[in-house]
Amino acid sequence: MCLFQFTARRLVSQAHCGLKASSSKKQKFCLEMARPSSNMADFREVFAKAKHIAIITGAGVSAESGVPTFRGAGGFWRKWQAQELATPGAFARNPSRVWEFYHYRREVMLSKHPNPAHIAIAECEKRLSKQGRSVVVITQNIDELHRKAGTKHLLEIHGSLFKTRCTSCGNVAANYKSPICPALAGKGAPDPDTEDAAIPVEELPQCEEDGCNGLLRPHVVWFGEALDPGVLTAVEKELDICDLCLVVGTSSVVYPAAMFAPQVSARGVPVAEFNMEPTPATNRFRFHFPGPCGTTLPPALARHETEIIS
């Protein structure tokens, strides 16, 4: 049965587990499910036997690299939160302002580096590949820190800050220019008193495909947009074959990514959550390790004594 072919009824029943039960038997089951283990030795035994490991990452894995999230209290760029700027409507109304926001984020990210969590994941992938085992990283992040750390098998479900897409011809291209266009040089300051640059559309990033010159936009998934079906298909295939799943630094509230690990858990695959605090999905996982990912993840993914290194 395909992972994403669960019925709505089954998903609803899973969502209510641990919250409310109509019988003492169900209540006992849900209470047992509500106690994920934090025993690292037990996790390490599961890890040592896993052949196909899926690691789902969110903003928390990059927080220790100093990446701003633009979420929650104080999560503003000038007077706006990300959900007010990261939309097709916002770009249509004011592409200059949206490009200032993304130019600022690109410039910030050029100064950031992978932290121990990113590095532990990349080193684990490299090491296990020599043993005929696989690691795939499914990330909600657009900062490319996993790529910087050396991760090869990477699915970026929300796109990348360092890719653009032409609004005319649709061409997608990597772009690491700094600044991305001359008109954005020195622009994008986040201070709330900063005035919009009001850059003319013809001076914003333009497509370089022959004869196009269309307006470029960041190749990221904005609020109100669907995820790339090709990427989702790839995610589905990986989650269908994984025999261990890690959820790292994600709040488990952003859909559809929030469904990934609970559905893997529903078919009996061990899921381990590494996060600063419990999430709405914590009680549906076998393991939960609280604390900074850069502290908890490296020992979890380090070489196990049973591994044979050639």
Side-chain angles (χ1 to χ4, degrees), residues 128-191:
L128 296 193
S129 68
K130 298 176 182 178
Q131 304 170 30
R133 301 160 69 189
S134 69
V135 175
V136 61
V137 176
I138 301 165
T139 188
Q140 301 170 72
N141 300 335
I142 61 174
D143 53 40
E144 291 204 1
L145 286 179
H146 283 299
R147 198 178 300 278
K148 273 189 177 182
T151 292
K152 304 299 183 185
H153 196 180
L154 180 64
L155 296 173
E156 297 167 312
I157 64 173
H158 291 159
S160 167
L161 279 172
F162 298 99
K163 289 181 181 177
T164 58
R165 183 165 80 246
C166 180
T167 58
S168 295
C169 73
N171 183 61
V172 175
N175 188 312
Y176 295 91
K177 293 179 182 177
S178 175
I180 190 170
C181 69
L184 281 167
K187 308 298 182 184
D191 188 277

Side-chain angles (χ1 to χ4, degrees), residues 2 8 27 54 89 124 149 165 167-168 172 185 200 202 220 236 239 284 300:
C2 178
Q27 186 174 21
C124 177
R165 183 165 80 246
T167 58
S168 295
V172 175
E202 60 270 17
V220 296
E236 175 185 330
L239 296 183
R284 296 155 75 180

Side-chain angles (χ1 to χ4, degrees), residues 181-254:
C181 69
L184 281 167
K187 308 298 182 184
D191 188 277
D193 295 326
T194 302
E195 294 290 331
D196 281 357
I199 300 169
V201 170
E202 60 270 17
E203 295 180 27
L204 291 172
Q206 305 289 314
C207 182
E208 296 180 1
E209 288 294 291
D210 290 343
C212 183
N213 297 317
L215 175 65
L216 295 179
R217 57 161 281 180
H219 185 54
V220 296
V221 179
W222 282 334
F223 292 95
E225 293 184 326
L227 272 61
D228 185 315
V231 174
L232 279 180
T233 297
V235 168
E236 175 185 330
K237 289 179 179 178
E238 294 294 340
L239 296 183
D240 274 344
I241 65 170
C242 77
D243 52 5
L244 174 62
C245 179
L246 278 62
V247 187
V248 184
T250 175
S251 60
S252 292
V253 296
V254 178

